Amino acid sequence: MSTRRTCLVSARKTPTTNAGLWLDKFIRNQAREDKDSRHDLVREVSDIPVPEEYSRWFERWRRVLQDYGAACRVAEVLGRIAVGLGEESVLETSVALHHTYGVPYIPGSALKGLAASFARQYLGDDWQANAGAYKTVFGDTDTAGYVIFFDALPLPGSRLLYPDVITVHHEGYYQKGDKPPADWDSPNPVPFLSATGKYLVALAGPDAWVKAAFEILQYALLNLGVGAKTSSGYGRLRLESVPPITGVEDRKVDQLINQIRALRTSEVAGRIQAFYEQWWKLDVSPEHKRRIAEAIVAKVKEAGREKQSLDKDWYRELLESLR
């Protein structure tokens, strides 16, 4: 007998189907002995595409992280990951899926736990649970750590979920323990969903401690792995630089130019060189560098300070960049 409600028996997937909802509610038969229904459900969920709306939501999420001051890097899965495998599910296995969009994700708590475990195991006395550095980054039972670990969401644009299988060879021995394992035991394939793709990893906090946390996380993700079945090679990710966010460079430059233009004449002598120093350090395109240089020179001329500024090395460097 089908476990779906009668009104859902003929339901079919659509481009807007939520993978998590389908996984939870659309198994044909939940009886343990009906293995075909379980395999079919896993295949059905793995074929559900990422919703088109997710791309737009993801860009908003990334802008929110940036506005909050979070540092972001991309982590690429080397093979597959199995996060949330032991959570409650209609199957014997589960997977962590975003509630609204049905995409796989890595909870921030999993990333924080992995980094903390790696620090305790491999980084010596300074990173034990009672040490200052450890408490600063990860906190303890009384206080929160200085570094916030956000959930890692997948970058849009690729297939994320795949059907996978765990093969139990000695089911009677593992379940009851009353039968010793034997060569003639029948294998029992258990279907589950694993994920791949690239994920946006975001941390927030004091710069020095965020940098330290990223360094720890980089080694932990590559060598220990996150999620389940790490002893079988699952869960390995390689951290890389985050791709540029569309429009961010323009907004950063526009903001700086507006600050230059807002300077009062009486403030130019004391503050304009600080804007040159920002210009010199800023890693933006040549076109944007030129726009900022032009704004600084224009403000100097507007304040009637070009003659005095021509004696300054920094001002001559700006003029040289505009030739």
Side-chain angles (χ1 to χ4, degrees):
M1 177 183 293
S2 174
T3 56
R4 295 187 190 180
R5 286 181 295 172
T6 303
C7 62
L8 300 178
V9 170
S10 60
R12 296 293 181 267
K13 295 178 296 181
T14 71
T16 60
T17 296
N18 184 293
L21 181 63
W22 196 272
L23 178 64
D24 286 341
K25 303 299 182 183
F26 284 83
I27 190 170
R28 288 195 305 275
N29 191 333
Q30 200 171 343
R32 186 179 180 88
E33 59 272 11
D34 187 352
K35 301 183 185 300
D36 289 340
S37 289
R38 295 167 181 268
H39 284 278
D40 289 345
L41 180 65
V42 166
R43 284 194 294 269
E44 289 170 1
V45 174
S46 68
D47 287 337
I48 295 175
V50 176
E52 292 183 5
E53 294 81 3
Y54 176 70
S55 296
R56 294 187 287 273
W57 179 86
F58 181 83
E59 290 305 320
R60 293 197 300 272
W61 165 248
R62 190 156 55 172
R63 286 196 295 271
V64 167
L65 288 174
Q66 184 208 11
D67 293 341
Y68 187 78
C72 299
R73 293 178 67 181
V74 170
E76 181 178 10
V77 178
L78 304 177
R80 303 283 178 85
I81 57 173
V83 177
L85 195 66
E87 298 296 324
E88 184 177 352
S89 171
V90 297
L91 303 175
E92 296 174 61
T93 58
S94 186
V95 63
L97 297 177
H98 190 274
H99 180 75
T100 305
Y101 295 99
V103 296
Y105 73 101
I106 307 172
S109 57
L111 295 173
K112 182 176 181 179
L114 171 65
S117 176
F118 184 91
R120 293 193 305 269
Q121 291 182 62
Y122 299 104
L123 299 185
D125 294 340
D126 291 340
W127 288 92
Q128 295 308 299
N130 59 351
Y134 182 93
K135 289 183 178 180
T136 300
V137 173
F138 304 110
D140 56 22
T141 55
D142 296 321
T143 58
Y146 280 35
V147 177
I148 300 172
F149 290 73
F150 293 92
D151 292 345
L153 278 298
L155 275 64
S158 63
R159 181 179 175 182
L160 299 170
L161 290 172
Y162 286 85
D164 219 321
V165 65
I166 302 170
T167 303
V168 181
H169 289 275
H170 309 292
E171 186 175 10
Y173 172 73
Y174 289 124
Q175 286 187 353
K176 300 178 181 179
D178 56 353
K179 293 182 180 180
D183 292 341
W184 51 84
D185 288 342
S186 297
N188 176 35
V190 178
F192 73 100
L193 287 159
S194 60
T196 187
K198 295 183 177 182
Y199 293 75
L200 187 69
V201 178
L203 307 180
D207 290 344
W209 292 112
V210 166
K211 182 180 179 182
F214 261 128
E215 290 179 357
I216 295 171
L217 196 57
Q218 177 176 340
Y219 287 104
L221 287 170
L222 191 60
N223 293 285
L224 296 186
V226 66
K229 293 179 65 64
T230 54
S231 61
S232 299
Y234 285 72
R236 291 343 189 244
L237 294 93
R238 180 177 59 239
L239 274 176
E240 55 189 40
S241 298
V242 66
I245 305 172
T246 305
V248 168
E249 187 173 285
D250 292 336
R251 293 197 298 273
K252 183 189 299 184
V253 171
D254 289 343
Q255 184 180 25
L256 184 57
I257 290 174
N258 289 336
Q259 291 174 1
I260 295 169
R261 290 173 177 169
L263 282 177
R264 294 191 294 269
T265 300
S266 59
E267 296 176 321
V268 171
R271 297 183 56 189
I272 197 66
Q273 187 174 346
F275 286 101
Y276 154 78
E277 291 170 357
Q278 290 186 58
W279 170 86
W280 190 85
K281 295 177 182 177
L282 205 57
D283 183 19
V284 295
S285 67
E287 293 78 10
H288 284 323
K289 293 279 268 190
R290 183 176 183 86
R291 286 181 57 208
I292 299 169
E294 288 173 346
I296 294 174
V297 170
K299 177 56 68 172
V300 168
K301 291 180 178 180
E302 179 187 316
R305 297 196 57 83
E306 186 174 30
K307 184 176 180 181
Q308 299 96 316
S309 299
L310 285 172
D311 294 334
K312 308 293 184 181
D313 291 339
W314 64 266
Y315 188 72
R316 290 198 295 271
E317 182 180 352
L318 281 174
L319 294 176
E320 186 67 27
S321 73
L322 296 174
R323 291 178 183 172

